[in-house]
Amino acid sequence: MADDVELLVAGGGLNGMLLGIACADAGLAVAVVDRQDPTTMMGEAFDGRASAIAYGSKLVLDGLGLWSGIAAEAQPILEIRVADDESPLFLHYDHRDLGSDIPLGYIVENRVLRRALFERARALPSFTLLAPRIVGTVTADDSGTVATLGDGARIHARLVAAADGKDSPLRRAAGIRAVEWRYKQTGIVTTVVHERPHAGIAIEHFLPAGPFAILPMTGNRSSIVWTEEAALAPHLVALSDAEFAAELSARFGDFLGATRPIGPRWAYPLSLMQAERYTARRLALVGEAAHVIHPIAGQGLNVGIRDIAALAEAVIDARRLGLDIGGDQVLERYQRWRRLDAVLLAGVTDGLNRLFSNTVPPVKLVRGLGLAAVNRLPPLKRLLMSHAMGTLGDRPRLARGERL
Ligand SMILES: Cc1cc2nc3c(=O)[nH]c(=O)nc-3n(C[C@H](O)[C@H](O)[C@H](O)COP(=O)(O)OP(=O)(O)OC[C@H]3O[C@@H](n4cnc5c(N)ncnc54)[C@H](O)[C@@H]3O)c2cc1C
């Protein structure tokens, strides 16, 4: 049976769309299937998050022709200040410490990212978007894979990528176990306008319930990721506008003058998940289907983007050599490349969350001293900055700013 496409991507979220674009841009025949209507996914009410896009991820987006549709709405992050509850000790990252003009990263609204992805996909002749459609079952053997969609249509492909999110039906169907737990925390997300400019400074303020992040957006706006106890979050989200504004400003402070929340409030339950394997027969897990981390360091999507850059490179290299893109060699290369980075970040973000969402005095003292120590050690600080920027380690070509 001839293949309908070479790669089938289940899930057209940020990671699934990006993988489809990376592979179709290099000439692969790709279909991306999502159960949601693209018009809904691009709407204002779909996803209130703004993402911290690391510099390495920006290179990937740029290399795939996406950045030109994003740049005007991307706010460069020039400094990051990390402050602990009432302690005066804080950690300060400044992009100038790295001796270049390159920002530490960018804050981009997820709806801006989605719009750019859908527009770019439309311009690629070998990219097919099937949405709203559901991927039901997938079977695989030596000769290829067959995905049966919810409406009974069958799609033959060499390789299936599961980009179907943290509850990944394909991961479960493949019998891949996962280590997972829920944090007793919810991420409340909203946008705030303020009187004074933020000067490109991102702030992470550790409060007893968890981190309260103020992320600079274009204009005098900031995106708030307010980690709160899961039991309290629904009450906060349901407050009247005036009450919510008062709660928010008590945490935000007045350093940017008067503040006013605008637009809807979102609540995201927070969890951690690590799939035991990232691959099965002719199947690769990417993004949150493979790993979910705490948003404390704004890295979840960035890890996903590194998955995409690695899988696309393994697939395209194999295709150029005339090899089977769904073969074990490709899948092993992908898993070897990605697993350590994702597992390490899960450990680091989990540890940071435990360390900072804690009011026990000795723990507070130790973390205060830790922040101060890092601040006084420029080489360590530069190393941490480079890691957060995604410019360390064995990076795929796209993440180094090269073509696939
Ligand atoms: C509060 C918060 C703040 C965050 N901030 C940052 C940040 O600053 N920086 C950062 O890097 N990351 C951040 N993240 C993480 C980031 O948002 C996620 O990692 C990313 O959005 C995951 O995208 P995804 O495409 O893997 O999954 P999803 O967005 O979940 O997409 C999965 C898609 O699969 C589709 N689907 C599922 N099952 C099927 C099926 N059977 N058939 C067809 N389609 C299907 C769904 O409809 C969905 O569109 C944050 C997360 C949270 C919760």
Side-chain angles (χ1 to χ4, degrees), residues 230-300:
L232 193 59
H235 303 290
L236 289 164
V237 171
L239 289 176
S240 69
D241 287 351
E243 288 166 331
F244 184 74
E247 288 288 343
L248 191 69
S249 101
R251 289 159 177 85
F252 195 107
D254 57 5
F255 69 103
L256 292 179
T259 57
R260 182 167 51 88
I262 50 164
R265 307 156 194 169
W266 280 268
Y268 296 90
L270 304 182
S271 58
L272 178 142
M273 192 280 294
Q274 266 299 327
E276 265 183 7
R277 288 178 288 129
Y278 288 0
T279 61
R281 197 173 203 191
R282 295 193 178 277
L283 179 74
L285 310 182
V286 295
E288 288 204 336
H291 42 69
V292 180
I293 59 175
H294 195 286
I296 191 166
Q299 289 292 338

Side-chain angles (χ1 to χ4, degrees), residues 23 80 85 106 112 144 146 167 200 216 244 256 282 288 307 339 344 375:
C23 291
I80 301 176
D85 201 7
Y106 298 83
V112 171
V146 188
D167 297 320
F244 184 74
L256 292 179
R282 295 193 178 277
E288 288 204 336
D307 293 349
R339 197 127 198 293
L344 280 178
N375 220 16

Side-chain angles (χ1 to χ4, degrees), residues 64-387:
L64 296 173
L66 288 152
W67 195 250
S68 55
I70 294 172
E73 291 167 88
Q75 168 63 47
I77 307 170
L78 304 178
E79 291 177 44
I80 301 176
R81 293 183 186 181
V82 182
D84 193 6
D85 201 7
E86 305 114 31
S87 155
L89 295 169
F90 72 89
L91 184 59
H92 182 205
Y93 293 138
D94 189 323
H95 76 297
R96 284 168 298 204
D97 292 347
L98 290 171
S100 75
D101 286 342
I102 298 172
L104 297 168
Y106 298 83
I107 300 294
V108 185
E109 289 163 74
N110 283 8
R111 73 178 174 80
V112 171
L113 292 171
R114 265 182 236 283
R115 187 196 61 208
L117 288 163
F118 283 115
E119 273 172 14
R120 180 78 184 100
R122 266 199 295 274
L124 291 167
S126 65
F127 186 112
T128 307
L129 179 63
L130 302 170
R133 309 273 289 275
I134 291 177
V135 176
T137 56
V138 175
T139 56
D141 61 25
D142 286 349
S143 61
T145 72
V146 188
T148 306
L149 305 193
D151 55 12
R154 285 154 67 87
I155 301 178
H156 292 256
R158 298 276 83 212
L159 174 67
V160 171
D164 47 357
K166 60 182 177 179
D167 297 320
S168 177
L170 288 192
R171 182 186 74 233
R172 292 179 197 278
I176 300 177
R177 289 189 306 185
V179 177
E180 51 191 320
W181 62 79
R182 277 173 180 265
Y183 292 107
K184 289 182 185 138
Q185 292 171 322
T186 296
I188 301 174
V189 171
T190 196
T191 304
V192 164
V193 282
H194 33 79
E195 215 175 352
R196 291 202 285 274
H198 47 54
I201 301 171
I203 293 181
E204 183 112 83
H205 194 178
F206 289 105
L207 299 177
F212 182 89
I214 303 173
L215 309 173
M217 299 165 83
T218 49
N220 277 6
R221 298 180 305 150
S222 292
S223 172
I224 304 299
V225 184
W226 167 3
T227 309
E228 199 33 271
E229 284 172 32
L232 193 59
H235 303 290
L236 289 164
V237 171
L239 289 176
S240 69
D241 287 351
E243 288 166 331
F244 184 74
E247 288 288 343
L248 191 69
S249 101
R251 289 159 177 85
F252 195 107
D254 57 5
F255 69 103
L256 292 179
T259 57
R260 182 167 51 88
I262 50 164
R265 307 156 194 169
W266 280 268
Y268 296 90
L270 304 182
S271 58
L272 178 142
M273 192 280 294
Q274 266 299 327
E276 265 183 7
R277 288 178 288 129
Y278 288 0
T279 61
R281 197 173 203 191
R282 295 193 178 277
L283 179 74
L285 310 182
V286 295
E288 288 204 336
H291 42 69
V292 180
I293 59 175
H294 195 286
I296 191 166
Q299 289 292 338
L301 178 60
N302 291 298
V303 198
I305 293 178
R306 291 203 284 276
D307 293 349
I308 303 310
L311 182 60
E313 184 168 323
V315 162
I316 298 303
D317 285 355
R319 188 174 185 258
R320 286 190 184 131
L321 293 171
L323 301 173
D324 179 356
I325 65 159
D328 291 345
Q329 258 178 304
V330 172
L331 292 167
E332 273 161 28
R333 183 177 174 205
Y334 168 65
Q335 158 141 305
R336 245 193 343 265
W337 207 346
R338 291 304 307 139
R339 197 127 198 293
L340 184 63
D341 179 37
V343 170
L344 280 178
L345 254 172
V348 168
T349 51
D350 186 61
L352 284 175
N353 184 50
R354 280 169 205 270
L355 185 63
F356 282 99
S357 308
N358 193 321
T359 50
V360 178
V363 177
K364 287 183 74 173
L365 178 69
V366 168
R367 74 184 181 223
L369 293 172
L371 288 183
V374 174
N375 220 16
R376 291 206 193 97
L377 283 173
L380 176 60
K381 221 168 112 175
R382 279 197 294 274
L383 183 76
L384 291 175
M385 272 196 273
S386 302
H387 187 264

